[in-house]
Amino acid sequence: MIFAVERTQERLAFAVGELTGASGRDVLTVPEGTPIVIDGSTGEIHVDPQPAVVDDYRRRAADLAERRTRELALAGEPATTLDGTRILVAANLGSLADARAARAGGADEAGLVRTEFLFLGRSEAPGVEEQEQEYVAIGEALGGRRVTLRSLDVGGDKPLPYLPVVREDNPFLGLRGLRLALARPALLHDQLVAVCRAARRTPTSLMFPMVSTAAELRAARAALDAAAGPSGVPGDLRVGMMVEVPAAALKIESFLPLLDFVSIGTNDLTQYALAAERGNPAVAGLADALDPAVLQLIDRVCQASRGRVDVAVCGEVAADTAAVALLVGLGVRELSVGPHAVPRVKERVRALDLEQCQVVAKQALSLESADEVREFAHAALGC
Ligand code: PEP
Ligand code: MG
């Protein structure tokens, strides 16, 4: 981005903060009218850059645009590694508009629909019909491709006005995700009825967030059976869980008999594994999903699931160039990323050799830090 500092300073400070993980407020000291360059991939900011720096960024922006055109041209094609292993590249959605963008970007399916979008910013929960219509509309916008609906993932960190929760000192460790849904059975029931109805009209998967114990998953499955009614759970409805809690990764065998698939939520898995709150700029450097501890948890899930259930990753790291190779090497066979990233991730997959990824991923598990993992992957795979 190349722009002059104008009256948008407050917004810019926020944007810089988002990009750099810092507060971004230093930008408020930059005089109005000063040209700046923000490197969107590193978060670096150049204040009043030399003409050579601006030229360099203009050239890089043109190269990126050219690459994007190439990637988009192939976006509708499957992503297969050099040796012929198919990797599904799916999209994470938070609205119907996202579904349209995902279709345009060539997503193979929706790997995560954050259904919270239907529940936030209103004074009462959406009814069963409204939910069913929205879920089916997402499937239609995706041209009938599979839609993975995540059951409501709210709690102390994402409160709903019509769902009063007790104040918690540590909301990320409190009543959130499936824990909250099980504590509000009527809300969960309505959602599961809507999911079952949608599944009878469009290919649908359902997954539960923030699962810590097999007992929670059994309770969720019982709620699904009750919501399905006498005709039973639709045969084509695939049921999965998100692996976001390190304990769930370590106990993965106890969940597998209850599942058709698992999807690893590395955003939460990383914050819990490293005890580094996501979104807290003071510990942003610690919360890196390529930390070998997180990779070991992913490896644990992939090893146990091999030949039994499919493993996806739907956290942000699935769109990280180095991570794509490592995750595929560990055994992940679906990467679910922001709609815009789908063409780029597909192109990345097409350049991979599976055996080489396996060797590199295995070695990465015993490194010391995320930085070491990145350097190692860069040296070994050029990413
Ligand atoms: C995750 O935790 O990785 C995830 C995909 O879920 P969310 O970011 O919505 O918590
Ligand atoms: Mg999560």
Side-chain angles (χ1 to χ4, degrees):
M1 274 182 275
I2 301 168
F3 46 145
V5 176
E6 289 177 277
R7 302 206 185 282
T8 52
Q9 278 179 319
E10 279 292 341
R11 278 191 7 237
L12 190 58
F14 177 74
V16 170
E18 290 272 289
L19 283 170
T20 60
S23 83
R25 298 201 65 81
D26 283 355
V27 79
L28 296 179
T29 61
V30 178
E32 284 211 12
T34 309
I36 63 170
V37 170
I38 298 176
D39 186 325
S41 51
T42 63
E44 247 176 289
I45 179 164
H46 303 264
V47 178
D48 203 5
Q50 296 292 320
V53 173
V54 174
D55 286 350
D56 180 40
Y57 272 96
R58 289 221 160 98
R59 222 175 3 257
R60 284 158 67 175
D63 288 350
L64 280 177
E66 206 179 291
R67 198 171 79 190
R68 176 90 185 149
T69 307
R70 278 201 313 273
E71 291 165 353
L72 274 171
L74 288 174
E77 302 297 320
T80 310
T81 60
L82 292 171
D83 46 288
T85 304
R86 173 85 193 268
I87 306 295
L88 286 177
V89 181
N92 294 344
L93 314 180
S95 66
L96 190 53
D98 280 352
R100 295 191 192 103
R103 172 96 194 261
D108 295 321
E109 55 180 61
L112 162 64
V113 178
R114 292 184 164 101
T115 60
E116 301 80 75
F117 81 92
L118 264 172
F119 291 79
L120 296 167
R122 53 195 296 164
S123 54
E124 56 183 30
V128 171
E129 279 73 27
E130 183 182 347
Q131 291 188 56
E132 177 189 348
Q133 292 314 335
E134 286 286 336
Y135 302 152
V136 171
I138 288 175
E140 284 168 357
L142 281 169
R145 290 170 183 77
R146 182 164 286 273
V147 174
T148 307
L149 301 170
R150 173 174 73 186
S151 68
L152 192 56
D153 187 13
V154 293
D157 59 314
K158 281 184 254 174
L160 295 177
Y162 50 90
L163 196 70
V165 286
V166 178
R167 206 197 77 79
E168 298 172 310
D169 283 342
N170 294 298
F172 277 120
L173 301 181
L175 201 60
R176 64 176 294 229
L178 181 59
R179 301 167 183 184
L180 181 77
L182 291 173
R184 299 285 176 160
L187 198 66
L188 179 63
H189 179 80
D190 278 1
Q191 185 170 38
L192 297 179
V193 172
V195 169
C196 288
R197 287 192 193 170
R200 294 189 181 100
R201 298 171 58 188
T202 193
T204 302
S205 299
L206 165 71
M207 63 184 182
F208 298 104
M210 268 295 283
V211 183
S212 308
T213 67
E216 287 173 333
L217 184 59
R218 274 194 295 275
R221 291 223 54 148
L224 178 62
D225 288 338
S231 53
V233 175
D236 188 41
L237 179 67
R238 303 183 71 227
V239 180
M241 71 175 244
M242 294 185 71
V243 175
E244 300 180 286
V245 178
L250 295 171
K251 295 183 294 184
I252 190 67
E253 280 89 354
S254 65
F255 299 99
L256 293 179
L258 301 163
L259 297 171
D260 298 313
F261 69 98
V262 296
S263 184
I264 305 176
T266 45
N267 304 338
D268 277 315
L269 187 65
T270 305
Q271 79 161 341
Y272 295 129
L274 290 153
E277 186 189 330
R278 60 192 277 189
N280 179 345
V283 292
L286 268 178
D288 189 328
L290 288 192
D291 188 284
V294 181
L295 294 180
Q296 286 178 33
L297 292 168
I298 296 172
D299 181 51
R300 176 91 187 74
V301 173
C302 290
Q303 299 255 19
S305 305
R306 191 155 296 140
R308 299 176 71 183
V309 306
D310 298 330
V311 180
V313 167
C314 62
E316 305 287 324
V317 78
D320 178 304
T321 308
V324 170
L326 296 169
L327 295 173
V328 167
L330 291 176
V332 172
R333 291 294 172 268
E334 176 179 316
L335 300 164
S336 195
V337 302
H340 190 76
V342 169
R344 178 172 56 77
V345 172
K346 282 193 164 184
E347 200 54 18
R348 175 77 193 121
V349 166
R350 293 185 187 114
L352 298 177
D353 174 77
L354 183 61
E355 217 177 295
Q356 194 186 16
C357 293
Q358 285 166 340
V359 172
V360 173
K362 193 164 171 12
Q363 287 177 282
L365 295 175
S366 53
L367 296 177
E368 194 185 294
S369 65
D371 284 347
E372 266 192 20
V373 169
R374 283 180 199 286
E375 277 164 32
F376 179 66
H378 182 67
L381 300 163
C383 55

